[in-house]
Amino acid sequence: MKVLIVGSGGREHAIAASVAKSKKVEKIYCAPGNGGIAAVAECVKIGAMEFDKLVAFAKEKAIDMVIVGMDDPLVGGLVDEMEAAGIPTFGPRKNAAILEGSKAFSKDLMKKYQIPTAGYENFEDADAAIEYLKKGSFPVVLKADGLALGKGVLICNTLEEALEGVKSIMLDKQFGSAGNRMVVEEFMTGREVSVLAFVDGKTIKPMTSAQDHKRAKDGDQGLNTGGMGTFSPSPFYTKEVDDFCKKYIYQATVDAMAKEGREFKGIIFFGLMLTPNGPKVLEYNARFGDPEAQVVLPRMKNDIIEVMEACIESRLEEVDLQFEDNAAVCVVLASDGYPLAYEKEKLIQGLESFEGKEDYYCFHAGTKLEDGRILTNGGRVLGITAKGKDLKEARKNAYEATTWVDFENKYMRNDIGKAIDEA
Ligand code: AMP
Ligand code: GLY
């Protein structure tokens, strides 16, 4: 098979590495890819939002399966365009990707189908939101409705902060058109867990659990980022939690989408909060998490292409999804200054240390290949993943591997996976 992966981050590198292990695959392309993906796939210079060019390329190369990794092209309808051209594509169509594309939609869906989530109200008008907030209690959570690179969520401790938040989301449009609508949500407390699941429109098969660290600095301080590191499995995701989610959240979400005429095929990412009143949905994403994929996929035993084909062909029921009985930790190496200003074009050294080391992975997030050298090309640069027999060993291994590579202004958190000590 010939496969085209759309995206350019650490997640797409993790997907490409899994696809490369498939017995069924003879050639992988990635658009646009990055410096690390280039080692397993042929990178083509087409942007993830250049739908016409992507479709033309897929037709020209007789691609057998397209895998869309990123949220923007999914929400924009790339899957629909590929399917219209007769190319089997893994990912939700536009009318289903709205599960991630509109938080107001997903909240209304959960309410209608009684899927546990925080109480909320949707607003299209800043004045109405302000009136509502004046009567409310704090903290409160404001969410821009649309895609905002994981940054459109504001936790406000006082009315003043909330009014400032309404201004930045709805009036100043800090997150662009994502702020045309806004969700005001009840603040929840508890541990966060991510569960990614394969979905074929009717059947859902959850993968092993993971946890992200979203803040830039140790101790969950600093600004929100795309994710500074992950571990899998989460020791807080117990059998009891799993049973609850299977009963009230996972299948309920798939069934709700089907009933709405928005059959979902692809990956649903459940962002869960384990509250004192049971697990509740924080958010849905319509794709693999980044950097969750970097700890979940290396632990998957199945041939990823076989699972994806089963999703596309609506026969996921037949698949016995299996994960290794071990653990993985991913530490993101970023450019100092991320998520604000940072420098690029720094030479990365030591990448060869990962060659031939089976349980260690160096996933490239923001790198580029230039004249045979790998340079930094983004805020999140590399995701260093290691496996171990348990989380402690995986964490030790991952941090050891972070010393193998170096570049100017290398920055990382030193407490990825530390929460497991409390488990
Ligand atoms: P989201 O993009 O919706 O996952 O939100 C980003 C982060 O904001 C989450 O990972 C949580 O840490 C936090 N958050 C979102 N919604 C809530 C909520 N209702 N209560 C408390 N924290 C929240
Ligand atoms: N790591 C969170 C996300 O991919 O949205």
Side-chain angles (χ1 to χ4, degrees):
M1 280 174 72
K2 289 185 230 159
V3 174
L4 168 65
I5 300 169
V6 178
S8 61
R11 163 184 50 215
E12 284 74 26
H13 193 182
I15 294 171
S18 284
V19 170
K21 285 194 300 187
S22 170
K23 297 182 297 289
K24 304 184 100 170
V25 173
E26 76 213 47
K27 174 85 186 172
I28 311 174
Y29 296 94
C30 189
N34 67 34
I37 295 173
V40 284
E42 183 177 329
C43 295
V44 283
K45 284 203 172 75
I46 305 177
M49 295 306 285
E50 295 184 285
F51 291 3
D52 291 348
K53 286 188 188 169
L54 289 169
V55 172
F57 179 84
K59 283 211 280 211
E60 180 200 321
K61 298 289 180 190
I63 297 292
D64 299 292
M65 188 196 290
V66 176
I67 302 168
V68 185
M70 295 168 70
D71 46 5
D72 281 314
L74 288 170
V75 171
L78 178 56
V79 174
D80 308 56
E81 303 222 0
M82 287 290 178
E83 285 183 351
I87 302 156
T89 302
F90 181 78
R93 293 183 190 140
K94 184 174 181 167
N95 75 348
I98 190 174
L99 192 62
E100 170 165 8
S102 168
K103 290 192 196 284
F105 169 86
S106 73
K107 295 298 291 188
D108 286 346
L109 185 88
M110 286 186 269
K111 187 179 197 177
K112 182 167 173 188
Y113 293 93
Q114 291 162 24
I115 297 166
T117 189
Y120 74 102
E121 208 63 55
N122 293 335
F123 293 96
E124 290 184 14
D125 174 69
D127 289 335
I130 290 167
E131 282 315 304
Y132 177 82
L133 286 163
K134 280 184 178 161
K135 287 184 247 141
S137 59
F138 296 88
V140 75
V141 185
L142 308 187
K143 300 186 172 184
D145 176 54
L147 297 180
L149 295 169
K151 292 178 190 140
V153 175
L154 305 176
I155 295 174
C156 305
N157 290 306
T158 61
L159 178 60
E160 288 67 42
E161 279 178 34
L163 297 181
E164 200 47 47
V166 175
K167 182 168 176 296
S168 67
I169 292 177
M170 297 196 92
L171 302 175
D172 299 346
K173 295 276 154 78
Q174 191 190 341
F175 308 105
S177 60
N180 289 349
R181 284 202 285 179
M182 189 182 75
V183 179
V184 176
E185 199 176 270
E186 167 203 358
F187 177 77
M188 301 188 286
T189 55
R191 289 213 172 265
E192 287 183 42
V193 182
S194 305
V195 174
L196 318 184
F198 287 99
V199 185
D200 75 351
K202 51 184 198 298
T203 300
I204 179 162
K205 300 248 167 159
M207 296 178 232
T208 181
S209 61
Q211 189 178 327
D212 189 10
H213 296 67
K214 284 204 165 87
R215 300 294 199 96
K217 300 203 168 131
D218 284 14
D220 291 329
Q221 302 294 310
L223 295 171
N224 251 325
T225 71
M228 293 301 292
T230 37
F231 58 88
S232 169
S234 164
F236 308 103
Y237 191 80
T238 59
K239 168 95 177 47
E240 194 190 355
V241 172
D242 186 51
D243 287 346
F244 180 94
C245 293
K246 282 187 175 135
K247 194 160 171 203
Y248 297 107
I249 296 179
Y250 303 151
Q251 191 66 49
T253 301
V254 177
D255 293 346
M257 290 297 280
K259 282 209 190 93
E260 294 292 308
R262 298 173 183 275
E263 180 188 63
F264 193 107
K265 290 186 179 193
I267 301 290
I268 300 182
F269 168 135
F270 297 86
L272 304 168
M273 181 82 99
L274 309 181
T275 78
N277 301 320
K280 295 190 182 182
V281 177
L282 271 173
E283 63 158 350
Y284 292 118
N285 294 317
R287 47 160 178 93
F288 282 103
D290 188 345
E292 284 84 350
Q294 290 90 314
V295 285
V296 169
L297 288 180
R299 299 184 53 230
M300 191 166 96
K301 290 187 186 173
N302 304 65
D303 181 322
I304 192 170
I305 292 293
E306 284 178 5
V307 183
M308 288 178 165
E309 279 182 318
C311 289
I312 293 171
E313 293 161 15
S314 293
R315 47 176 187 78
L316 184 60
E317 211 175 18
E318 296 166 9
V319 172
D320 180 15
L321 198 61
Q322 290 196 356
F323 287 81
E324 293 169 0
D325 183 20
N326 57 10
V329 169
C330 172
V331 180
V332 169
L333 302 185
S335 305
D336 198 11
Y338 172 74
L340 299 174
Y342 50 83
E343 293 174 26
K344 295 194 208 175
E345 314 258 325
K346 307 291 181 195
L347 179 67
I348 307 175
Q349 285 171 307
L351 291 167
E352 64 288 349
S353 314
F354 286 85
E355 280 163 24
K357 297 225 176 57
E358 208 175 289
D359 289 338
Y360 294 83
Y361 306 78
C362 179
F363 295 121
H364 292 226
T367 72
K368 64 175 176 184
L369 179 62
E370 212 173 79
D371 303 329
R373 302 182 320 158
I374 302 274
L375 306 178
T376 67
N377 190 38
R380 291 191 293 177
V381 177
L382 301 170
I384 306 296
T385 296
K387 292 197 237 181
K389 67 177 186 312
D390 55 21
L391 284 163
K392 276 204 167 118
E393 189 180 278
R395 174 147 67 107
K396 186 174 141 286
N397 293 345
Y399 272 104
E400 187 195 310
T402 63
T403 65
W404 302 347
V405 276
D406 205 15
F407 54 88
E408 212 179 299
N409 301 329
K410 168 176 145 186
Y411 171 81
M412 67 183 153
R413 273 182 63 160
N414 294 297
D415 63 349
I416 302 301
K418 206 166 168 211
I420 58 182
D421 294 342
E422 302 159 27

